[in-house]
Coordinates of all heavy atoms in Angstrom, one line a residue:
A150 N -30.4 -8.0 -20.7 CA -31.5 -8.9 -20.3 C -31.6 -8.8 -18.7 O -32.8 -8.8 -18.2 CB -31.2 -10.3 -20.7
L151 N -30.5 -8.7 -18.0 CA -30.6 -8.6 -16.6 C -31.2 -7.3 -16.2 O -32.1 -7.3 -15.3 CB -29.2 -8.7 -16.0 CG -28.5 -10.1 -16.1 CD1 -27.0 -10.0 -15.8 CD2 -29.2 -11.1 -15.1
A152 N -30.9 -6.2 -16.8 CA -31.5 -4.9 -16.5 C -33.0 -4.9 -16.7 O -33.8 -4.3 -16.0 CB -30.8 -3.8 -17.3
A153 N -33.4 -5.6 -17.8 CA -34.8 -5.7 -18.1 C -35.6 -6.4 -17.0 O -36.8 -6.2 -16.8 CB -35.0 -6.4 -19.5
E154 N -34.9 -7.3 -16.3 CA -35.5 -8.0 -15.2 C -35.4 -7.3 -13.9 O -35.8 -7.8 -12.8 CB -34.9 -9.5 -15.1 CG -35.3 -10.3 -16.3 CD -36.7 -10.7 -16.4 OE1 -37.5 -10.6 -15.4 OE2 -37.2 -11.1 -17.4
G155 N -34.8 -6.1 -13.9 CA -34.6 -5.4 -12.7 C -33.4 -5.9 -11.8 O -33.4 -5.6 -10.6
I156 N -32.5 -6.6 -12.4 CA -31.4 -7.2 -11.7 C -30.2 -6.3 -11.8 O -29.7 -6.0 -12.9 CB -31.1 -8.6 -12.1 CG1 -32.3 -9.5 -11.9 CG2 -29.8 -9.1 -11.5 CD1 -32.2 -10.8 -12.6
A157 N -29.6 -5.8 -10.7 CA -28.5 -4.9 -10.7 C -27.2 -5.6 -11.0 O -27.0 -6.8 -10.6 CB -28.3 -4.2 -9.3
V158 N -26.4 -5.0 -11.9 CA -25.2 -5.6 -12.3 C -24.0 -4.7 -12.1 O -24.1 -3.5 -12.3 CB -25.2 -6.0 -13.9 CG1 -24.0 -6.5 -14.4 CG2 -26.4 -6.9 -14.1
T159 N -22.8 -5.2 -11.7 CA -21.6 -4.4 -11.6 C -21.0 -4.3 -13.0 O -20.7 -5.4 -13.6 CB -20.6 -5.0 -10.6 OG1 -21.2 -5.1 -9.4 CG2 -19.4 -4.2 -10.6
P160 N -20.9 -3.1 -13.6 CA -20.3 -3.0 -15.0 C -18.9 -3.6 -15.0 O -18.1 -3.4 -14.1 CB -20.3 -1.5 -15.2 CG -21.3 -0.9 -14.2 CD -21.2 -1.9 -13.0
A161 N -18.6 -4.2 -16.1 CA -17.2 -4.7 -16.4 C -16.9 -4.5 -17.9 O -17.8 -4.4 -18.7 CB -17.1 -6.2 -16.0
R162 N -15.6 -4.4 -18.2 CA -15.2 -4.3 -19.5 C -14.9 -5.6 -20.2 O -15.0 -5.7 -21.4 CB -13.9 -3.5 -19.6 CG -14.1 -2.0 -19.2 CD -12.9 -1.3 -19.4 NE -12.7 -0.4 -18.3 CZ -11.7 0.5 -18.2 NH1 -10.8 0.6 -19.1 NH2 -11.7 1.3 -17.1
A163 N -14.6 -6.6 -19.5 CA -14.4 -8.0 -20.0 C -14.5 -9.0 -18.9 O -14.6 -8.6 -17.8 CB -13.0 -8.0 -20.6
G164 N -14.6 -10.2 -19.3 CA -14.7 -11.3 -18.3 C -15.6 -12.4 -18.8 O -16.1 -12.4 -19.9
M165 N -15.7 -13.5 -18.0 CA -16.5 -14.6 -18.3 C -17.7 -14.7 -17.3 O -18.4 -15.7 -17.4 CB -15.6 -15.9 -18.2 CG -14.4 -15.9 -19.1 SD -13.4 -17.4 -19.0 CE -13.3 -17.8 -17.3
F166 N -17.8 -13.8 -16.5 CA -19.0 -13.8 -15.5 C -19.4 -12.4 -15.3 O -18.8 -11.4 -15.6 CB -18.6 -14.5 -14.2 CG -17.5 -13.8 -13.5 CD1 -17.8 -12.8 -12.6 CD2 -16.2 -14.2 -13.6 CE1 -16.8 -12.2 -11.8 CE2 -15.2 -13.6 -12.9 CZ -15.5 -12.6 -12.0
V167 N -20.6 -12.3 -14.7 CA -21.2 -11.0 -14.3 C -21.5 -11.1 -12.8 O -21.9 -12.1 -12.3 CB -22.4 -10.7 -15.1 CG1 -23.5 -11.6 -15.0 CG2 -22.9 -9.3 -14.9
W168 N -21.3 -10.0 -12.1 CA -21.6 -9.9 -10.6 C -22.9 -9.3 -10.5 O -23.1 -8.1 -10.9 CB -20.5 -9.1 -10.0 CG -20.5 -9.0 -8.5 CD1 -20.7 -7.9 -7.8 CD2 -20.1 -10.1 -7.6 NE1 -20.6 -8.2 -6.4 CE2 -20.2 -9.5 -6.3 CE3 -19.8 -11.4 -7.8 CZ2 -20.0 -10.3 -5.2 CZ3 -19.5 -12.1 -6.6 CH2 -19.6 -11.6 -5.4
I169 N -23.9 -10.0 -10.0 CA -25.3 -9.5 -9.8 C -25.6 -9.3 -8.4 O -25.1 -10.0 -7.5 CB -26.3 -10.4 -10.5 CG1 -26.3 -11.8 -9.9 CG2 -26.1 -10.5 -12.0 CD1 -27.4 -12.7 -10.4
D170 N -26.4 -8.3 -8.1 CA -26.8 -7.9 -6.7 C -28.3 -8.2 -6.5 O -29.1 -7.5 -7.1 CB -26.5 -6.5 -6.5 CG -26.8 -6.0 -5.0 OD1 -27.3 -6.9 -4.3 OD2 -26.6 -4.9 -4.7
L171 N -28.6 -9.3 -5.8 CA -29.9 -9.7 -5.5 C -30.2 -9.4 -4.0 O -31.2 -10.0 -3.4 CB -30.1 -11.2 -5.8 CG -29.8 -11.6 -7.2 CD1 -30.1 -13.1 -7.5 CD2 -30.6 -10.7 -8.2
G172 N -29.4 -8.6 -3.4 CA -29.6 -8.3 -2.0 C -31.0 -7.8 -1.6 O -31.5 -8.0 -0.6
G173 N -31.6 -7.0 -2.6 CA -33.0 -6.5 -2.3 C -34.0 -7.6 -2.3 O -35.1 -7.4 -1.9
S174 N -33.7 -8.8 -2.8 CA -34.6 -9.9 -2.7 C -34.5 -10.8 -1.4 O -35.4 -11.7 -1.2 CB -34.4 -10.9 -3.9 OG -34.7 -10.2 -5.1
L175 N -33.5 -10.5 -0.6 CA -33.4 -11.2 0.6 C -34.4 -10.7 1.7 O -34.6 -9.6 1.8 CB -31.9 -11.1 1.2 CG -30.8 -11.5 0.3 CD1 -29.5 -11.3 1.0 CD2 -30.9 -13.0 -0.1
R176 N -34.9 -11.6 2.5 CA -35.8 -11.3 3.6 C -35.0 -10.5 4.7 O -35.6 -9.6 5.3 CB -36.5 -12.5 4.2 CG -37.6 -13.1 3.3 CD -38.4 -14.0 4.2 NE -38.0 -15.3 3.9 CZ -38.4 -16.4 4.5 NH1 -39.2 -16.3 5.5 NH2 -38.0 -17.6 4.2
E177 N -33.8 -10.9 4.8 CA -32.9 -10.3 5.8 C -31.5 -10.4 5.2 O -31.2 -11.3 4.5 CB -33.0 -10.8 7.2 CG -32.8 -12.4 7.3 CD -33.1 -12.9 8.6 OE1 -34.3 -13.2 8.9 OE2 -32.2 -13.0 9.4
A178 N -30.6 -9.5 5.6 CA -29.3 -9.5 5.0 C -28.3 -10.4 5.8 O -27.5 -10.0 6.6 CB -28.7 -8.1 5.0
T179 N -28.5 -11.7 5.6 CA -27.7 -12.7 6.3 C -27.2 -13.7 5.3 O -27.7 -13.9 4.2 CB -28.5 -13.5 7.4 OG1 -29.5 -14.3 6.7 CG2 -29.1 -12.6 8.4
W180 N -26.1 -14.4 5.6 CA -25.5 -15.4 4.8 C -26.5 -16.6 4.6 O -26.5 -17.2 3.6 CB -24.1 -15.8 5.2 CG -23.1 -14.7 5.3 CD1 -22.6 -14.2 6.4 CD2 -22.7 -14.0 4.1 NE1 -21.7 -13.1 6.0 CE2 -21.8 -13.0 4.6 CE3 -22.9 -14.0 2.8 CZ2 -21.1 -12.1 3.8 CZ3 -22.2 -13.1 1.9 CH2 -21.4 -12.2 2.4
E181 N -27.2 -16.9 5.7 CA -28.2 -18.0 5.6 C -29.3 -17.7 4.6 O -29.7 -18.6 3.9 CB -28.8 -18.3 7.0 CG -27.8 -18.8 8.0 CD -26.9 -17.7 8.6 OE1 -27.1 -16.5 8.5 OE2 -25.8 -18.1 9.2
E182 N -29.7 -16.4 4.6 CA -30.7 -16.0 3.6 C -30.2 -16.0 2.2 O -30.9 -16.4 1.2 CB -31.3 -14.6 4.0 CG -32.4 -14.2 3.0 CD -33.6 -15.0 3.0 OE1 -33.9 -15.9 3.8 OE2 -34.4 -14.9 2.0
E183 N -28.9 -15.7 2.0 CA -28.3 -15.8 0.7 C -28.3 -17.2 0.3 O -28.6 -17.5 -0.9 CB -26.9 -15.2 0.8 CG -26.1 -15.3 -0.6 CD -24.7 -14.9 -0.5 OE1 -23.9 -15.7 -0.2 OE2 -24.5 -13.7 -0.8
W184 N -28.0 -18.1 1.2 CA -27.9 -19.5 0.8 C -29.4 -20.0 0.4 O -29.5 -20.8 -0.5 CB -27.4 -20.4 1.9 CG -27.2 -21.8 1.6 CD1 -28.0 -22.9 2.0 CD2 -26.3 -22.4 0.7 NE1 -27.6 -24.0 1.4 CE2 -26.6 -23.8 0.6 CE3 -25.3 -21.9 -0.1 CZ2 -25.8 -24.6 -0.2 CZ3 -24.6 -22.7 -0.9 CH2 -24.8 -24.1 -0.9
R185 N -30.4 -19.5 1.1 CA -31.8 -19.9 0.8 C -32.1 -19.4 -0.6 O -32.7 -20.2 -1.4 CB -32.7 -19.3 1.9 CG -34.1 -19.9 1.8 CD -35.0 -19.4 3.0 NE -35.5 -18.1 2.7 CZ -36.7 -17.9 1.9 NH1 -37.3 -19.0 1.4 NH2 -37.1 -16.7 1.7
L186 N -31.7 -18.2 -0.9 CA -32.0 -17.7 -2.3 C -31.2 -18.6 -3.3 O -31.7 -18.9 -4.4 CB -31.6 -16.2 -2.4 CG -31.8 -15.6 -3.8 CD1 -33.2 -15.8 -4.4 CD2 -31.5 -14.1 -3.7
W187 N -30.0 -18.9 -3.0 CA -29.1 -19.7 -3.9 C -29.8 -21.0 -4.2 O -29.9 -21.5 -5.3 CB -27.7 -19.9 -3.4 CG -26.9 -20.8 -4.3 CD1 -26.1 -20.3 -5.3 CD2 -26.9 -22.2 -4.3 NE1 -25.6 -21.4 -6.0 CE2 -26.0 -22.6 -5.4 CE3 -27.4 -23.2 -3.6 CZ2 -25.7 -23.9 -5.7 CZ3 -27.1 -24.5 -3.9 CH2 -26.3 -24.8 -5.0
T188 N -30.3 -21.6 -3.1 CA -31.0 -22.9 -3.3 C -32.3 -22.8 -4.1 O -32.5 -23.7 -5.0 CB -31.4 -23.5 -1.9 OG1 -30.2 -23.6 -1.1 CG2 -32.1 -24.8 -2.0
A189 N -33.0 -21.8 -4.0 CA -34.2 -21.5 -4.8 C -33.8 -21.3 -6.3 O -34.4 -21.8 -7.2 CB -35.0 -20.3 -4.3
M190 N -32.7 -20.6 -6.5 CA -32.2 -20.3 -7.8 C -31.9 -21.7 -8.5 O -32.2 -21.9 -9.6 CB -31.0 -19.4 -7.8 CG -31.3 -18.0 -7.5 SD -29.8 -17.0 -7.1 CE -28.9 -17.1 -8.6
F191 N -31.2 -22.5 -7.7 CA -30.7 -23.8 -8.3 C -31.9 -24.8 -8.5 O -32.0 -25.4 -9.6 CB -29.7 -24.4 -7.3 CG -29.1 -25.7 -7.8 CD1 -28.3 -25.8 -8.9 CD2 -29.5 -26.9 -7.2 CE1 -27.8 -27.0 -9.3 CE2 -29.0 -28.1 -7.6 CZ -28.2 -28.2 -8.7
E192 N -32.7 -24.9 -7.5 CA -33.8 -25.9 -7.5 C -35.0 -25.5 -8.4 O -35.5 -26.3 -9.1 CB -34.2 -26.3 -6.1 CG -33.2 -27.0 -5.3 CD -33.6 -27.4 -3.9 OE1 -34.6 -26.9 -3.4 OE2 -32.8 -28.1 -3.2
R193 N -35.4 -24.3 -8.2 CA -36.6 -23.8 -8.9 C -36.4 -23.2 -10.3 O -37.1 -23.4 -11.2 CB -37.4 -22.9 -8.0 CG -37.9 -23.6 -6.8 CD -38.5 -22.7 -5.7 NE -39.2 -21.5 -6.1 CZ -39.5 -20.5 -5.2 NH1 -39.1 -20.6 -3.9 NH2 -40.1 -19.5 -5.6
A194 N -35.3 -22.4 -10.4 CA -35.0 -21.7 -11.7 C -34.0 -22.4 -12.5 O -33.7 -22.0 -13.6 CB -34.6 -20.3 -11.4
K195 N -33.3 -23.4 -11.9 CA -32.3 -24.2 -12.6 C -31.1 -23.3 -13.0 O -30.5 -23.4 -14.1 CB -32.8 -24.9 -13.9 CG -34.0 -25.8 -13.6 CD -33.7 -26.8 -12.5 CE -34.9 -27.8 -12.3 NZ -35.0 -28.3 -11.0
I196 N -30.8 -22.3 -12.2 CA -29.7 -21.4 -12.4 C -28.5 -21.8 -11.4 O -28.7 -22.0 -10.2 CB -30.1 -19.9 -12.0 CG1 -31.3 -19.5 -12.8 CG2 -28.9 -19.0 -12.1 CD1 -31.0 -19.3 -14.3
V197 N -27.3 -21.9 -12.0 CA -26.2 -22.2 -11.2 C -25.3 -20.9 -11.1 O -24.9 -20.4 -12.1 CB -25.3 -23.4 -11.7 CG1 -24.1 -23.6 -10.9 CG2 -26.2 -24.6 -11.8
A198 N -25.2 -20.4 -9.9 CA -24.4 -19.2 -9.7 C -23.5 -19.4 -8.4 O -23.8 -20.3 -7.6 CB -25.3 -18.0 -9.5
T199 N -22.5 -18.7 -8.3 CA -21.7 -18.8 -7.1 C -22.1 -17.7 -6.1 O -22.2 -16.5 -6.4 CB -20.2 -18.5 -7.5 OG1 -19.8 -19.4 -8.5 CG2 -19.3 -18.8 -6.3
P200 N -22.5 -18.2 -4.9 CA -22.9 -17.2 -3.9 C -21.8 -16.3 -3.5 O -20.6 -16.6 -3.5 CB -23.2 -18.1 -2.6 CG -23.4 -19.5 -3.2 CD -22.5 -19.6 -4.4
G201 N -22.2 -15.0 -3.2 CA -21.2 -14.0 -2.8 C -20.3 -14.4 -1.7 O -19.1 -14.0 -1.7
R202 N -20.8 -15.1 -0.7 CA -20.0 -15.5 0.4 C -18.8 -16.3 0.0 O -17.7 -16.1 0.5 CB -20.8 -16.3 1.4 CG -20.0 -16.7 2.6 CD -20.9 -17.5 3.6 NE -20.3 -17.5 4.9 CZ -20.9 -17.9 6.0 NH1 -22.1 -18.3 6.0 NH2 -20.2 -18.0 7.2
D203 N -19.0 -17.2 -1.1 CA -17.9 -17.9 -1.6 C -16.9 -17.1 -2.4 O -15.8 -17.6 -2.7 CB -18.4 -19.1 -2.4 CG -19.2 -20.1 -1.7 OD1 -19.1 -20.1 -0.4 OD2 -19.9 -20.9 -2.3
C204 N -17.3 -15.9 -2.8 CA -16.4 -15.0 -3.5 C -15.9 -13.9 -2.7 O -15.4 -12.9 -3.2 CB -17.2 -14.4 -4.7 SG -17.8 -15.6 -5.9
K205 N -16.1 -14.0 -1.4 CA -15.6 -13.0 -0.4 C -16.4 -11.7 -0.5 O -15.8 -10.6 -0.3 CB -14.1 -12.8 -0.5 CG -13.3 -14.0 -0.5 CD -13.4 -14.7 0.8 CE -12.4 -15.9 0.9 NZ -12.9 -17.1 1.6
S206 N -17.6 -11.7 -0.8 CA -18.4 -10.5 -0.9 C -18.5 -9.9 0.5 O -18.6 -10.6 1.5 CB -19.8 -10.9 -1.4 OG -20.7 -9.8 -1.4
A207 N -18.6 -8.6 0.5 CA -18.7 -7.9 1.8 C -20.1 -8.0 2.4 O -20.3 -7.9 3.6 CB -18.4 -6.4 1.6
A208 N -21.1 -8.2 1.6 CA -22.5 -8.3 2.1 C -23.3 -9.4 1.4 O -23.0 -9.7 0.2 CB -23.2 -7.0 1.8
P209 N -24.2 -10.0 2.0 CA -25.0 -11.1 1.4 C -25.9 -10.6 0.3 O -26.3 -9.4 0.3 CB -25.9 -11.6 2.6 CG -25.3 -11.1 3.8 CD -24.5 -9.8 3.5
G210 N -26.1 -11.5 -0.7 CA -27.0 -11.1 -1.7 C -26.4 -11.0 -3.1 O -27.1 -10.9 -4.1
C211 N -25.1 -11.0 -3.2 CA -24.5 -10.9 -4.5 C -24.1 -12.3 -5.0 O -23.8 -13.1 -4.2 CB -23.2 -10.0 -4.4 SG -23.6 -8.3 -4.1
F212 N -24.1 -12.4 -6.3 CA -23.8 -13.8 -6.9 C -23.0 -13.5 -8.1 O -23.1 -12.5 -8.9 CB -25.1 -14.5 -7.3 CG -26.0 -14.8 -6.1 CD1 -26.9 -13.9 -5.6 CD2 -25.9 -16.1 -5.5 CE1 -27.7 -14.2 -4.5 CE2 -26.7 -16.4 -4.4 CZ -27.6 -15.5 -4.0
R213 N -22.1 -14.5 -8.4 CA -21.3 -14.5 -9.6 C -22.0 -15.4 -10.6 O -22.2 -16.6 -10.4 CB -19.9 -15.0 -9.4 CG -19.0 -14.8 -10.6 CD -17.6 -15.2 -10.3 NE -17.5 -16.7 -10.2 CZ -16.5 -17.4 -10.0 NH1 -15.3 -16.8 -9.7 NH2 -16.5 -18.7 -9.9
L214 N -22.4 -14.9 -11.7 CA -23.1 -15.6 -12.8 C -22.2 -15.8 -14.0 O -21.9 -14.8 -14.6 CB -24.4 -14.9 -13.1 CG -25.4 -15.5 -14.0 CD1 -25.9 -16.9 -13.5 CD2 -26.6 -14.6 -14.3
C215 N -21.8 -17.0 -14.3 CA -20.9 -17.3 -15.4 C -21.7 -17.4 -16.7 O -22.7 -18.1 -16.7 CB -20.1 -18.5 -15.1 SG -18.9 -18.8 -16.4
F216 N -21.2 -16.8 -17.7 CA -21.9 -16.9 -19.0 C -20.9 -17.5 -20.1 O -21.3 -17.6 -21.3 CB -22.4 -15.6 -19.5 CG -21.4 -14.5 -19.6 CD1 -20.7 -14.3 -20.7 CD2 -21.3 -13.6 -18.5 CE1 -19.7 -13.3 -20.8 CE2 -20.4 -12.6 -18.6 CZ -19.6 -12.4 -19.7
A217 N -19.8 -17.9 -19.7 CA -18.7 -18.3 -20.7 C -19.1 -19.6 -21.6 O -18.8 -19.6 -22.7 CB -17.4 -18.6 -20.0
S218 N -19.8 -20.5 -21.0 CA -20.1 -21.7 -21.8 C -21.6 -21.9 -22.2 O -22.0 -22.9 -22.5 CB -19.7 -23.0 -20.9 OG -20.5 -23.1 -19.8
V219 N -22.3 -20.7 -22.2 CA -23.7 -20.8 -22.5 C -24.0 -19.9 -23.7 O -23.5 -18.8 -23.8 CB -24.5 -20.2 -21.2 CG1 -26.0 -20.2 -21.5 CG2 -24.2 -21.0 -20.0
D220 N -24.8 -20.5 -24.6 CA -25.1 -19.6 -25.8 C -26.1 -18.6 -25.4 O -26.7 -18.6 -24.4 CB -25.5 -20.5 -27.0 CG -26.8 -21.2 -26.8 OD1 -27.7 -20.7 -26.1 OD2 -27.0 -22.3 -27.3
R221 N -26.2 -17.6 -26.3 CA -27.1 -16.4 -26.0 C -28.5 -16.8 -25.7 O -29.1 -16.3 -24.7 CB -27.0 -15.5 -27.3 CG -27.7 -14.2 -27.1 CD -27.6 -13.3 -28.3 NE -27.8 -11.9 -28.2 CZ -28.9 -11.3 -27.8 NH1 -30.0 -12.1 -27.5 NH2 -29.0 -10.0 -27.7
E222 N -29.1 -17.7 -26.4 CA -30.5 -18.1 -26.2 C -30.7 -18.7 -24.8 O -31.6 -18.5 -24.1 CB -31.0 -19.0 -27.3 CG -31.1 -18.4 -28.7 CD -29.8 -18.2 -29.4 OE1 -28.8 -18.9 -29.1 OE2 -29.7 -17.2 -30.2
A223 N -29.7 -19.6 -24.4 CA -29.8 -20.2 -23.1 C -29.6 -19.2 -22.0 O -30.3 -19.3 -21.0 CB -28.8 -21.3 -23.0
M224 N -28.7 -18.3 -22.2 CA -28.5 -17.2 -21.2 C -29.8 -16.4 -21.0 O -30.2 -16.1 -19.9 CB -27.3 -16.4 -21.5 CG -27.1 -15.3 -20.5 SD -26.8 -15.8 -18.8 CE -25.2 -16.4 -18.8
L225 N -30.4 -16.0 -22.1 CA -31.6 -15.2 -22.1 C -32.7 -15.9 -21.4 O -33.5 -15.4 -20.6 CB -32.0 -14.7 -23.5 CG -31.1 -13.7 -24.1 CD1 -31.5 -13.5 -25.6 CD2 -31.0 -12.4 -23.3
A226 N -32.9 -17.2 -21.7 CA -33.9 -18.1 -21.0 C -33.6 -18.2 -19.5 O -34.5 -18.1 -18.7 CB -33.9 -19.4 -21.7
G227 N -32.3 -18.3 -19.2 CA -32.0 -18.4 -17.7 C -32.3 -17.1 -17.0 O -32.8 -17.1 -15.9
V228 N -32.0 -16.0 -17.6 CA -32.2 -14.7 -17.0 C -33.8 -14.5 -16.8 O -34.2 -14.0 -15.8 CB -31.6 -13.5 -17.9 CG1 -32.1 -12.2 -17.4 CG2 -30.1 -13.6 -17.8
K229 N -34.5 -14.9 -17.8 CA -36.0 -14.8 -17.7 C -36.5 -15.7 -16.5 O -37.3 -15.2 -15.7 CB -36.7 -15.3 -19.0 CG -38.2 -15.2 -19.0 CD -38.8 -15.6 -20.3 CE -40.3 -15.5 -20.2 NZ -41.0 -15.9 -21.4
R230 N -36.0 -16.9 -16.4 CA -36.4 -17.8 -15.3 C -36.0 -17.1 -13.9 O -36.7 -17.2 -13.0 CB -35.7 -19.2 -15.4 CG -36.3 -20.0 -16.5 CD -35.9 -21.5 -16.4 NE -34.5 -21.7 -16.1 CZ -33.6 -21.8 -17.1 NH1 -33.9 -21.8 -18.3 NH2 -32.3 -22.1 -16.7
L231 N -34.8 -16.5 -13.9 CA -34.3 -15.9 -12.7 C -35.3 -14.7 -12.3 O -35.7 -14.6 -11.2 CB -32.9 -15.4 -12.8 CG -32.3 -14.6 -11.7 CD1 -32.3 -15.5 -10.4 CD2 -30.9 -14.2 -12.0
G232 N -35.6 -13.9 -13.3 CA -36.6 -12.8 -13.1 C -37.9 -13.3 -12.5 O -38.5 -12.7 -11.6
E233 N -38.4 -14.4 -13.1 CA -39.7 -15.0 -12.7 C -39.6 -15.4 -11.2 O -40.5 -15.2 -10.4 CB -40.1 -16.1 -13.6 CG -40.5 -15.6 -15.0 CD -40.7 -16.7 -16.0 OE1 -40.3 -17.9 -15.7 OE2 -41.1 -16.4 -17.1
L234 N -38.5 -16.1 -10.9 CA -38.2 -16.6 -9.5 C -38.2 -15.4 -8.6 O -38.9 -15.4 -7.5 CB -36.9 -17.4 -9.5 CG -36.5 -17.7 -8.0 CD1 -37.3 -18.9 -7.5 CD2 -35.0 -17.9 -8.0
L235 N -37.5 -14.4 -8.9 CA -37.4 -13.2 -8.0 C -38.7 -12.5 -7.8 O -39.0 -12.1 -6.7 CB -36.3 -12.2 -8.5 CG -34.9 -12.8 -8.5 CD1 -34.0 -11.8 -9.2 CD2 -34.4 -13.1 -7.1
R236 N -39.5 -12.5 -8.8 CA -40.8 -11.8 -8.6 C -41.7 -12.7 -7.7 O -42.6 -12.1 -7.0 CB -41.5 -11.6 -10.0 CG -40.9 -10.5 -10.7 CD -41.7 -10.1 -12.0 NE -41.5 -11.1 -13.0 CZ -40.5 -11.2 -13.8 NH1 -39.5 -10.4 -13.7 NH2 -40.5 -12.1 -14.8
A237 N -41.6 -14.0 -7.7 CA -42.4 -14.9 -6.9 C -41.7 -15.2 -5.5 O -42.3 -15.9 -4.7 CB -42.7 -16.1 -7.6
Y238 N -40.5 -14.8 -5.3 CA -39.7 -15.3 -4.2 C -40.2 -14.8 -2.9 O -40.6 -13.6 -2.7 CB -38.2 -14.8 -4.4 CG -37.3 -15.4 -3.3 CD1 -37.0 -16.7 -3.3 CD2 -36.7 -14.5 -2.4 CE1 -36.1 -17.2 -2.4 CE2 -35.8 -15.0 -1.4 CZ -35.5 -16.4 -1.4 OH -34.7 -16.9 -0.5
E239 N -40.4 -15.7 -1.9 CA -40.9 -15.3 -0.6 C -39.9 -15.8 0.5 O -39.3 -16.8 0.4 CB -42.2 -16.0 -0.3 CG -43.3 -15.7 -1.3 CD -44.5 -16.4 -1.2 OE1 -44.6 -17.4 -0.4 OE2 -45.5 -16.1 -1.9

């Protein structure tokens, strides 16, 4: 579902979350811009993710998206909302 929305994912063999790279959606590669995107994800798309800065990411724009407590339909709906947000993001 993430790939269908054009969202880059770091492959993993197991886990409770996925590491997504939204750096291409940032206006500039800064931690402030990452926070602005996180805020839009939370307020407009109702997506809760952990910003990369909080996960010690080397560069702004990556997020940890947990899927452990969400059923498949809810996750697919969330990914769709995220894709819509990214297409409209300014």
Side-chain angles (χ1 to χ4, degrees):
L151 290 164
E154 293 294 339
I156 299 170
V158 177
T159 299
R162 291 187 222 184
M165 302 184 315
F166 62 87
V167 63
W168 189 247
I169 60 175
D170 182 357
L171 304 180
S174 296
L175 301 179
R176 284 195 261 173
E177 55 187 86
T179 65
W180 298 115
E181 293 78 16
E182 180 62 16
E183 179 184 86
W184 185 253
R185 193 174 84 79
L186 177 55
W187 179 89
T188 301
M190 290 168 56
F191 180 72
E192 292 178 353
R193 293 170 34 195
K195 308 302 183 207
I196 302 291
V197 178
T199 305
R202 184 176 194 172
D203 295 346
C204 297
K205 309 295 185 216
S206 176
C211 292
F212 296 84
R213 187 178 75 177
L214 186 60
C215 183
F216 57 84
S218 65
V219 179
D220 65 34
R221 187 179 199 296
E222 292 77 25
M224 179 56 77
L225 292 174
V228 169
K229 182 177 178 184
R230 289 193 314 271
L231 179 57
E233 291 168 354
L234 170 78
L235 295 173
R236 284 188 289 281
Y238 187 69
E239 301 174 354

